[in-house]
């Protein structure tokens, strides 16, 4: 136990240090962590670290999926539901099929069932990798919504196909309509279990006197409870966690206090960062050991095959992307679609953002070592190809993504309102409501209480400023400049207040608990100012 704890501490400290370096050299940290793991893995004497697939599936995957669903836009998911469904289902199946036949033709003794197993493993792009890399390569919001929605759902398709391929290999029996029926069942039942758990926890939050600490603790339990229950019934744990997470994400605005949201948000951000970082680091660290395990082919032949399959994966996604463009234009004649003129720029970007990651890693490691007492055929080769595809797509496509975006120049799909218009209208509505309520309900308090009077004047003048901003572009620019100036001044003042507060830490008459209370108030005020500034 002590060795495990020391190993975990060492991994966390190592990845945090490497992420600091990645930020210094301005490289997306998943790419840098994989490269660092590769370099360290080839150093003689470095201990070999083996990843247990159960740890990935049962410990790492549920919270990553839950966090992704919490940050997903439900409106974006619904608006782009058709293209997201096509990508999560069609792209994965098309890629898996292409990989299956290519690997069957390329690899001596490789069966078609093994090819579909490999295809299922390397077909789904990874959400965490894409999200981290996209911070260095800004994309239109519509494109991000589609990528996030696809990454939430494609894991279910690939893992289901993975299960059926394993069954086909072990039993030499596969019936496509049975597989299709089973896929529908595990998907629908998984979604139902997720929604049921989401509603259960919603009732707990709504009707029981929970505290911010309890709310935060329960959010740590939710993804595991949903995933384990779904897996116990042999249905899609991925879709269960995603559907439950989406339901709770919508409801927590109504049942969580601001303290609960701040606490759980900060905790989840740190947890998912650590889990993802460790996985990317271990991918690179394990590659040398995986390469040594290949026995059926030479390293050069295995690497050549793996690189060819990488190209197949990239081209298959690109072909599927442009086919979806043609299909969208055709079907828009008969049904209403979100956007009937997709062009070629955005689909090309969507096709390029296909980095593989944690799900492919977990699936590959989950391949059993033996079937009916016999070693699993080509297991080490499948692992090697999977790790190669992850590294090539993550490092190669990831590093090239900013350049591709600059050259392609993806188009921004027109929205009903721009982001600035949405912000202004929401702020006008909220400030007007606050001013009206203070006038009608608390007018007497406002007159007598100087603090309330100052707050009332502030809200009143801000509302007037925002209303004037709607008169034209010049007025809006002036209003934005004044608000930005106000935030800058208040942030500087907050920093001065913080310095004074720190000076009281050396004073024996002031308890640390009280100082932390005041510091938390400053944090909330500064977060409000800084968040609005963004």
């Amino acid at each position: 136990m002590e060795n495990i704890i020391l190993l975990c501490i060492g991994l966390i400290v190592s990845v945090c240090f490497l992420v600091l370096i990645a930020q210094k050299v301005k490289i997306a940290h998943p790419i840098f962590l994989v490269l660092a793991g590769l370099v360290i893995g080839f150093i003689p004497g470095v201990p070999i670290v083996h990843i247990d697939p159960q740890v990935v599936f049962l410990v790492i995957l549920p919270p990553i999926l839950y966090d992704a669903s919490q940050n997903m836009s439900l409106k974006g998911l619904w608006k782009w539901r058709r293209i997201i469904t096509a990508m999560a289902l069609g792209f994965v199946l098309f890629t898996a099929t292409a990989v299956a036949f290519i690997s069957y033709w390329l690899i001596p003794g490789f069966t078609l069932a093994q090819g579909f197993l490999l295809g299922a493993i390397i077909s789904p792009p990874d959400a965490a990798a894409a999200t981290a890399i996209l911070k260095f390569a800004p994309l239109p919001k519509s494109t991000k919504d589609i990528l996030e929605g696809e990454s939430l759902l494609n894991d279910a398709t690939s893992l289901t196909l993975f299960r059926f391929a394993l069954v086909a290999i072990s039993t030499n029996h596969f019936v496509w309509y049975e597989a299709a029926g089973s896929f529908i069942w595990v998907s629908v039942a998984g979604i139902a279990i997720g929604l049921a758990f989401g509603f259960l926890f919603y009732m707990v939050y709504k009707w029981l006197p929970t505290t911010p600490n309890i709310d935060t603790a329960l959010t740590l339990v939710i993804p595991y409870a949903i995933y384990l229950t779904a897996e116990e019934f042999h249905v899609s744990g991925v879709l269960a966690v995603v559907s439950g997470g989406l339901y709770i994400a919508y409801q927590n605005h109504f049942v969580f206090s601001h303290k609960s949201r701040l606490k759980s948000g900060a905790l989840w951000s740190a947890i998912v960062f650590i889990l993802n970082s460790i996985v990317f680091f271990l991918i690179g660290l394990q590659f040398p050991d995986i390469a040594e395990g290949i026995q059926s082919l030479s390293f050069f032949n295995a690497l050549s095959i793996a690189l060819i399959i990488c190209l197949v994966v990239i081209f298959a996604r690109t072909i599927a992307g442009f086919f979806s463009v043609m299909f969208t234009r055709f079907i828009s004649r008969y049904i209403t679609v979100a956007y009937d003129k997709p062009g070629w720029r955005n689909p090309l970007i969507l096709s390029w953002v296909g980095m593989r990651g944690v799900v492919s890693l977990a699936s590959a490691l989950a391949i059993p070592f033996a079937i009916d007492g016999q070693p699993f055929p080509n297991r080490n080769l499948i692992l090697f190809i999977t790790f190669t595809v992850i590294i090539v797509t993550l490092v190669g496509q990831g590093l090239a993504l900013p350049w591709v975006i600059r050259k392609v120049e993806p188009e921004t799909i027109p929205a009903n309102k721009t982001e600035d218009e949405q912000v202004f209208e929401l702020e006008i509505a909220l400030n007007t409501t606050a001013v009206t309520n203070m006038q009608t309900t608390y007018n007497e308090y406002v007159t007598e209480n100087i603090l309330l009077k100052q707050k009332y004047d502030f809200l009143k003048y801000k509302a007037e400023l925002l209303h004037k901003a709607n008169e034209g572009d010049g007025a809006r620019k002036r209003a934005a400049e004044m608000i930005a100036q106000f935030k800058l001044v208040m942030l500087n003042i907050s920093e001065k207040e913080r310095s004074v507060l720190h000076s009281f830490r050396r004073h024996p008459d002031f308890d640390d608990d009280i100082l932390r209370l005041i510091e938390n108030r400053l944090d909330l005020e500064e977060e409000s100012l800084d968040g609005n500034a963004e």
Side-chain angles (χ1 to χ4, degrees), residues 338-352:
Y339 190 59
D340 60 356
K341 297 177 182 178
W344 63 271
R345 300 176 186 276
N346 289 13
L348 181 59
I349 296 296
L350 287 171
S351 301
W352 188 259

Side-chain angles (χ1 to χ4, degrees), residues 312-366:
V312 171
V313 167
I314 294 171
F315 279 115
R317 184 172 172 85
T318 305
I319 292 170
F322 282 101
F323 175 79
S324 68
V325 171
M326 293 185 290
F327 180 76
T328 299
R329 289 179 175 175
F330 169 76
I331 203 67
S332 63
R333 303 173 185 174
Y334 306 99
I335 62 173
T336 302
V337 296
Y339 190 59
D340 60 356
K341 297 177 182 178
W344 63 271
R345 300 176 186 276
N346 289 13
L348 181 59
I349 296 296
L350 287 171
S351 301
W352 188 259
V353 185
M355 288 73 76
R356 271 60 179 176
V358 60
V359 174
S360 296
L361 168 70
S363 301
L365 294 172

Side-chain angles (χ1 to χ4, degrees), residues 113-230:
Q114 293 170 31
F116 272 104
L117 181 69
L118 175 61
I121 291 171
I122 62 178
S123 55
D126 182 70
T131 300
I133 292 170
L134 286 175
K135 292 179 180 178
F136 294 82
L139 281 176
K141 186 179 184 304
S142 57
T143 307
K144 288 184 178 181
D145 286 343
I146 293 171
L147 288 170
E148 290 174 356
E150 178 206 6
S151 62
L152 280 177
L153 302 179
N154 61 16
D155 295 340
T157 306
S158 65
L159 291 175
T160 304
L161 185 59
F162 173 82
R163 291 177 181 176
F164 290 136
L166 271 183
V167 171
I169 294 172
S170 58
T171 64
N172 292 319
H173 175 74
F174 179 81
V175 180
W176 71 267
Y177 56 83
E178 291 181 358
S182 297
F183 176 77
I184 294 173
W185 160 247
V186 299
S187 300
V188 173
I191 293 172
I193 288 176
L195 293 176
F197 267 92
F199 182 75
L200 174 64
F201 279 98
Y202 163 72
M203 298 302 292
V204 170
Y205 289 134
K206 184 174 178 63
W207 299 110
L208 295 182
T210 60
T211 65
N213 287 332
I214 293 175
D215 290 340
T216 304
L218 286 177
T219 63
L220 297 177
V221 174
I222 292 172
Y224 295 108
I226 296 175
Y227 187 86
L228 291 173
T229 302

Side-chain angles (χ1 to χ4, degrees), residues 464-477:
E464 291 176 356
L465 187 65
L466 291 170
H467 277 293
K468 289 180 180 178
N470 278 334
E471 295 175 0
D473 292 337
R476 175 167 296 182
K477 182 179 179 182

Side-chain angles (χ1 to χ4, degrees), residues 405-419:
I405 291 176
R406 286 196 301 271
K407 292 298 181 182
V408 174
E409 297 181 351
E411 59 178 317
T412 300
I413 297 176
N416 294 331
K417 295 181 185 295
T418 66
E419 291 186 0

Side-chain angles (χ1 to χ4, degrees), residues 224-299:
Y224 295 108
I226 296 175
Y227 187 86
L228 291 173
T229 302
E231 291 297 314
E232 185 67 25
F233 285 97
H234 304 291
V235 299
S236 176
V238 171
L239 284 179
V241 173
V242 169
S243 58
L246 287 171
Y247 181 85
I248 293 172
Y250 179 78
Q251 297 293 349
N252 66 21
H253 298 289
F254 307 106
V255 296
F256 272 15
S257 66
H258 70 281
K259 289 185 178 180
S260 295
R261 285 191 292 273
L262 285 170
K263 282 191 173 184
S264 62
L267 179 64
W268 271 100
S269 178
I271 288 175
V272 172
F273 163 76
I274 291 171
L275 292 176
N276 274 317
S277 298
I278 288 176
V279 168
F280 290 123
F281 181 59
L282 291 178
I283 287 173
L285 198 62
Q286 272 209 305
F287 185 76
D289 182 53
I290 296 297
E292 290 181 3
I294 302 173
Q295 298 175 348
S296 57
L297 296 170
S298 67
F299 176 79

Side-chain angles (χ1 to χ4, degrees), residues 503-516:
S503 69
F504 281 90
R505 296 187 185 282
R506 296 185 294 272
H507 202 294
D509 293 338
F510 292 87
D511 292 337
D512 285 340
D513 290 342
I514 302 301
L515 292 173
R516 277 194 292 269

